[in-house]
Amino acid sequence: MSGNFLFLHVNEWADFETTDALPLSQGYILANLKKHGYSGHIIGEYKNRPLAPHDFHNELKRLRPEAIGFSVYEENFRRVRVWARMAKSLDPGITVVLGGPQVTFMPAEGLAQMAEVDVLCRGEGEEVMLNIARALDHGKPLTDVAGICCRVNGSLVETGECPGLEELDNLPSPYLDDTIDFRGKSRVILLSSRGCASSCTFCYTPRACARKVRYHSVERLIEEMKYLQSQGVNDFWFADPNFAQSRKRLETFLEAIINRVPGASFWCQTRYNLVDGKLLALLKRAGAHTIAFGLESAHAPTLKRINKRLDLEKMSKAVSLSQDAGIDVELFTLFGLPGESMENAMSTLDFVKRSKVRVEGNSISQQLHVFFGTPISENPAEHGISALPMAKPAYRSICRDFQTDSMSEEEIRQMSLIWRLNRQDFHDDVASATNLFSIAGFITRHKKYLDSRPEADMMLYKIYMELDEPAAAAACLERLGKKFQGNSEVDALLTGPFTCFKTKRRAIAHQGCKVIFDCKGLMHGSVVPETECRFSIATLGNSVLLADFEKGLMGMKAGSASQFNVVFPEDYGNSKLAGQRLVFQVYLYQVLEPVIFALPEEMGLKAAKNMYRFDDLIHLKMYNENLYYMVLRDSVLHSFSGNLNDMVSLLNYYLKLGFMEKAMDIAYSFPREPLIMGHVGRILQINGFPEEAIEFLLLAADTNEEIENQRIKAHIALKQYREAEEVAGDPRLATSLQTMNLRVKLASLLDLPVPEYLRRLDLLLDSQIKMMRAGI
């Protein structure tokens, strides 16, 4: 027995350091292969760690694997095909196996459209891959292996079902045998069970597991947790969907965690009707910090249509009980469900917010995915779902490319954007004055979709106030007053008062004023890097600064320097600084006095026009983008000044803030040089102004590939697919990978025949492989 096997974990949407980067499924499969005498390795490609072609080549050369396996999801399919084709180009004899949720119920025709793939794994990967290994090892035909789809003499063969293991403990732990590299991870994924006995129409899991739930023993789980804890991992993510399915088993498990893995913490998910106050108290004692429930929808008729047996009142109670027990709650939700209207979908967001569940992590809703194997996918029309007219190969499911008889494509997109608008990180960033231009750009770029919700103007109001744009802020308040009067949050905001600030030369810092300063803290004469800041802005008296630091600022005059002691609290978040006394050196650039207005219109008309003067624009942009913008706005007349970088930056900021007139004043002031016009067009396109972008991109036409590709993207954004196709068909773009990729997209959008879609995709993939091999 000499078989070697390579697994490639393609996860381009997760950073290597995150829990999502752990290849648990592949780890189980490889661990089982190793148990039976085979060997192998798992390599990965992640968002922040792309796999280099020469590393892939070296791994193939070192292992000389008989087969290479991939776990396929909708999001990584294209990239999986690239690496599968790369493997075949380097070793034509290697067997390429695809598995995972996208493959389990994929039509056999999908395999016929992927020349680089040999096998689709239909059953549980541990058993199927082991049997594939044995067949390859003994020279037997793959048709002897149950649970796969493969080619035989050009024909597709389905080999029948492969029963899964009844005893999960018979599978070795990929952690205990060091199959999975979890170094650098603060949390790891564990499975305490597999399967789900529910019958929700949107989910393929019940069909894949024949509606059975199987369990790992408590002893096995405790052994894994103790080992991982000994290696520095203390937080666990139990990914099985029914963590509390067996009450008795769970109570035994939780008691074992308390007694044998003290200090552990974990995330878990289960059904709301499986928990009560007593169990939640035990979960908390055992270390549960977060529990997730499947809500899906807060509209009872919609729940009935997707066969989700759920009592909304009892769900609300379960959420409250969990929160009262000190456990955070996440709620899985979907929109675009059968029969669900826009109003129905909005009620789900309102339920989540009313339940005081933060819209983050798993509580950020997503559109229904119509995957292979779900009851909905078997007859979409019966569920009121119609696929959008677009070319798709047989290996791709409907996924998100649909509309329903009660929600149009535009409304589904709108709902997606409204959920994103309510993300907790957006609100946290606005509160801390970070990423303001990115958030403002999201709102203004999607203005027509977000106008129906008060959150958009409420957030923009705060951003404009932070950037000292009182007139724009007042306009937000005016719109809120006209459209959303009666909304409690809006009414509270409109009652005022409204605080603006006014620059005063040589002003003295005092309570309520805004200050701009540099500082650094010294311990035993050496600067502590964590205390250094440049061009910081703070309002005195709002409890953001440390009490001693704020006290030291009081009485300082703008344009002066000072030195004072600061004692950090004992419970300060940075253990290096907690309880320490530091000497702070501070330079105060500017002091702005507060000016209070009672009415929004008064603020818009009477607020002072402040001037911000700083010469060090390079460091200003690096340390405080908000202040950099305010300096550019106040120092650059809206005409080309000769400083291309700063002018381009101001153009970009104006577009994100929705100041279109000011932005276009700048855009038209640039010299009519093709390269500059192309750059302006690109910025307009990126910021969601494709019509204006085309005007400038045409002035740079035929300059380079990038300009032409931006023109194609602009036409696609305007749904001018024929015009985009005409530009993309230029022979001079024939070797551009970006153009090839756009032509594949256009084949889909134009609903061209599938063979033409596949021809374009093959051309793209082959070109990518050629380029990758050139780099080896």
Side-chain angles (χ1 to χ4, degrees):
M1 189 179 297
S2 59
N4 253 317
F5 295 86
L6 179 64
F7 293 89
L8 178 50
H9 182 57
V10 179
N11 195 334
E12 295 180 290
W13 60 93
D15 289 340
F16 173 76
E17 296 77 13
T18 65
T19 312
D20 290 337
L22 288 167
L24 185 60
S25 297
Q26 294 177 340
Y28 264 100
I29 296 169
L30 181 54
N32 194 51
L33 286 170
K34 288 161 66 176
K35 174 185 174 181
H36 290 87
Y38 296 97
S39 58
H41 190 53
I42 301 173
I43 56 177
E45 176 171 68
Y46 307 102
K47 182 179 177 182
N48 62 337
R49 290 195 185 183
L51 178 61
H54 64 83
D55 289 336
F56 181 65
H57 172 258
N58 291 341
E59 200 66 11
L60 283 176
K61 190 175 179 181
R62 180 180 72 84
L63 283 176
R64 298 192 180 280
E66 293 188 62
I68 179 170
F70 299 87
S71 294
V72 178
Y73 300 85
E74 186 71 26
E75 293 88 347
N76 72 351
F77 215 134
R78 175 78 66 82
R79 194 61 181 169
V80 163
R81 287 201 63 191
V82 169
W83 285 115
R85 190 166 289 209
M86 181 69 167
K88 282 287 192 182
S89 76
L90 295 169
D91 181 2
I94 197 170
T95 299
V96 174
V97 183
L98 303 188
Q102 183 74 353
V103 170
T104 305
F105 301 107
M106 179 192 293
E109 292 83 354
L111 179 59
Q113 296 175 351
M114 296 182 286
E116 68 280 354
V117 179
D118 299 298
V119 179
L120 302 181
C121 173
R122 304 300 206 185
E124 287 195 332
E126 296 89 354
E127 284 292 287
V128 175
M129 201 66 190
L130 177 59
N131 290 330
I132 289 175
R134 287 169 173 164
L136 294 174
D137 194 37
H138 294 99
K140 292 184 177 180
L142 289 177
T143 49
D144 290 350
V145 177
I148 67 169
C149 176
C150 62
R151 290 188 186 87
V152 178
N153 299 323
S155 298
L156 302 175
V157 177
E158 297 273 13
T159 62
E161 291 188 17
C162 175
L165 285 171
E166 289 296 325
E167 295 294 332
L168 291 186
D169 280 2
N170 288 337
L171 297 172
S173 166
Y175 293 115
L176 296 176
D177 71 357
D178 293 326
T179 296
I180 292 180
D181 179 7
F182 55 87
R183 289 172 297 177
K185 305 290 192 298
S186 58
R187 174 199 279 186
V188 302
I189 310 170
L190 289 177
L191 282 172
S192 73
S193 68
R194 290 188 185 184
C196 180
S198 299
S199 55
C200 304
T201 61
F202 58 84
C203 185
Y204 62 83
T205 301
R207 179 180 171 189
C209 69
R211 295 186 66 183
K212 291 198 308 186
V213 180
R214 292 163 294 157
Y215 302 96
H216 275 300
S217 68
V218 168
E219 191 57 39
R220 156 71 174 265
L221 293 167
I222 293 298
E223 185 182 6
E224 282 186 311
M225 292 178 73
K226 287 178 66 176
Y227 170 72
L228 289 163
Q229 193 178 58
S230 73
Q231 301 301 304
V233 176
N234 212 41
D235 192 24
F236 305 93
W237 174 17
F238 289 104
D240 37 320
N242 288 294
F243 189 64
Q245 183 75 21
S246 170
R247 174 76 174 242
K248 183 177 179 181
R249 173 183 172 276
L250 179 58
E251 289 177 343
T252 301
F253 181 33
L254 296 176
E255 291 288 358
I257 294 175
I258 292 167
N259 295 322
R260 299 172 60 188
V261 200
S265 61
F266 60 88
W267 179 102
C268 63
Q269 61 175 310
T270 191
R271 288 181 61 85
Y272 74 99
N273 58 342
L274 296 178
V275 300
D276 54 30
K278 182 180 178 182
L279 181 60
L280 289 165
L282 184 58
L283 280 162
K284 179 64 177 178
R285 283 180 56 214
H289 53 71
T290 308
I291 188 168
F293 300 118
L295 169 64
E296 318 315 343
S297 172
H299 181 241
T302 297
L303 291 169
K304 186 176 181 180
R305 278 190 289 267
I306 60 174
N307 206 21
K308 179 88 175 179
R309 299 178 180 87
L310 188 150
D311 184 310
L312 290 166
E313 189 174 331
K314 290 180 180 177
M315 168 65 86
S316 184
K317 184 177 180 182
V319 171
S320 296
L321 282 173
S322 302
Q323 293 167 335
D324 291 344
I327 301 174
D328 289 336
V329 174
E330 292 183 342
L331 292 172
F332 292 108
T333 62
L334 296 169
F335 55 88
L337 291 164
E340 178 185 60
S341 68
M342 190 72 184
E343 183 181 0
N344 303 153
M346 206 73 77
S347 70
T348 304
L349 172 60
D350 294 338
F351 181 95
V352 171
K353 294 173 71 173
R354 191 166 60 248
S355 299
K356 297 182 173 57
V357 172
R358 292 163 63 94
V359 182
E360 61 185 0
N362 294 298
S363 296
I364 299 175
S365 188
Q366 62 178 325
Q367 182 186 343
L368 169 71
H369 290 48
V370 182
F371 288 137
F372 297 130
T374 63
I376 290 177
S377 72
E378 293 170 1
N379 192 342
E382 188 178 85
H383 297 271
I385 287 176
S386 54
L388 299 177
M390 57 173 56
K392 276 198 173 190
Y395 57 78
R396 297 296 297 271
S397 64
I398 292 175
C399 195
R400 296 182 297 269
D401 299 321
F402 68 87
Q403 58 186 2
T404 74
D405 55 11
S406 49
M407 283 184 79
S408 66
E409 179 187 1
E410 288 283 288
E411 287 177 317
I412 290 174
R413 174 168 169 72
Q414 181 180 13
M415 197 65 233
S416 173
L417 294 168
I418 289 172
W419 271 98
R420 287 172 61 190
L421 176 68
N422 282 273
R423 287 173 54 134
Q424 189 62 46
D425 58 342
F426 274 22
H427 293 270
D428 291 344
D429 283 349
V430 170
S432 61
T434 53
N435 297 320
L436 297 186
F437 296 102
S438 175
I439 297 168
F442 168 78
I443 296 172
T444 57
R445 188 166 63 252
H446 303 297
K447 189 173 184 295
K448 74 170 184 175
Y449 294 105
L450 300 176
D451 267 355
S452 62
R453 295 290 288 193
E455 299 97 315
D457 268 320
M458 291 178 73
M459 205 174 290
L460 276 180
Y461 162 77
K462 294 174 183 177
I463 291 171
Y464 291 147
M465 290 295 281
E466 188 66 40
L467 297 175
D468 200 359
E469 293 282 1
C476 288
L477 295 176
E478 182 181 358
R479 289 193 296 269
L480 286 166
K482 288 180 178 178
K483 294 176 62 176
F484 302 106
Q485 215 162 34
N487 177 291
S488 58
E489 290 183 80
V490 171
D491 289 347
L493 178 62
L494 293 175
T495 56
F498 308 98
T499 304
C500 295
F501 294 90
K502 180 179 180 180
T503 303
K504 184 178 179 182
R505 292 192 64 192
R506 309 298 290 173
I508 295 174
H510 60 86
Q511 192 88 349
C513 69
K514 185 176 284 190
V515 293
I516 305 172
F517 61 91
D518 289 346
C519 73
K520 57 185 176 182
L522 288 77
M523 185 186 297
H524 310 304
S526 298
V527 175
V528 179
E530 296 95 319
T531 66
E532 286 188 281
C533 63
R534 298 284 311 276
F535 307 111
S536 285
I537 301 179
T539 300
L540 302 185
N542 65 358
S543 303
V544 171
L545 300 175
L546 291 176
D548 279 359
F549 187 86
E550 188 166 288
K551 183 179 178 182
L553 289 174
M554 294 293 186
M556 283 187 67
K557 186 179 292 186
S560 69
S562 182
Q563 181 171 296
F564 47 81
N565 294 329
V566 173
V567 177
F568 285 77
E570 295 289 344
D571 60 352
Y572 192 68
N574 185 327
S575 58
K576 180 181 177 181
L577 296 174
Q580 297 295 322
R581 178 187 295 271
L582 272 67
V583 176
F584 267 83
Q585 296 176 352
V586 178
Y587 179 77
L588 188 61
Y589 288 104
Q590 203 163 333
V591 175
L592 293 94
E593 299 276 358
V595 181
I596 312 297
F597 297 100
L599 300 172
E601 55 269 28
E602 190 180 18
M603 174 181 69
L605 292 171
K606 297 182 179 179
K609 174 66 175 175
N610 294 313
M611 300 297 290
Y612 297 87
R613 301 294 190 192
F614 292 85
D615 296 326
D616 188 1
L617 292 180
I618 294 175
H619 287 99
L620 190 61
K621 185 176 184 179
M622 183 186 307
Y623 291 107
N624 192 327
E625 188 179 30
N626 301 342
L627 188 55
Y628 172 66
Y629 160 73
M630 291 188 278
V631 170
L632 289 184
R633 174 196 65 195
D634 296 335
S635 60
V636 176
L637 296 175
H638 297 159
S639 59
F640 184 64
S641 63
N643 189 322
L644 182 62
N645 289 335
D646 288 340
M647 290 292 290
V648 165
S649 292
L650 186 57
L651 168 64
N652 189 44
Y653 292 142
Y654 277 154
L655 290 171
K656 291 186 185 305
L657 293 173
F659 299 163
M660 194 61 186
E661 187 175 339
K662 292 180 179 179
M664 296 312 292
D665 282 347
I666 292 178
Y668 287 123
S669 74
F670 281 107
R672 285 297 197 261
E673 297 174 13
L675 286 177
I676 295 178
M677 292 295 93
H679 196 43
V680 171
R682 180 175 179 274
I683 292 171
L684 285 162
Q685 165 60 24
I686 289 172
N687 281 285
F689 298 96
E691 192 168 353
E692 292 81 359
I694 288 175
E695 176 186 346
F696 287 87
L697 291 169
L698 282 171
L699 294 173
D702 304 325
T703 305
N704 56 48
E705 289 180 2
E706 172 61 20
I707 297 300
E708 299 307 291
N709 284 319
Q710 289 297 333
R711 283 178 64 199
I712 298 168
K713 290 178 182 178
H715 283 304
I716 290 175
L718 292 167
K719 297 188 177 182
Q720 298 170 351
Y721 304 140
R722 292 294 174 189
E723 291 87 340
E725 176 83 345
E726 184 178 347
V727 178
D730 189 328
R732 290 172 295 180
L733 300 176
T735 59
S736 166
L737 283 178
Q738 188 176 5
T739 307
M740 291 182 201
N741 190 46
L742 289 168
R743 293 197 77 218
V744 173
K745 184 174 183 177
L746 282 165
S748 180
L749 293 171
L750 287 165
D751 198 14
L752 299 182
V754 170
E756 172 61 15
Y757 174 95
L758 292 171
R759 186 192 69 79
R760 294 186 183 193
L761 181 56
D762 279 338
L763 179 63
L764 170 63
L765 294 177
D766 287 341
S767 298
Q768 286 179 287
I769 301 308
K770 184 178 180 181
M771 181 175 290
M772 290 165 71
R773 292 200 64 169
I776 294 176

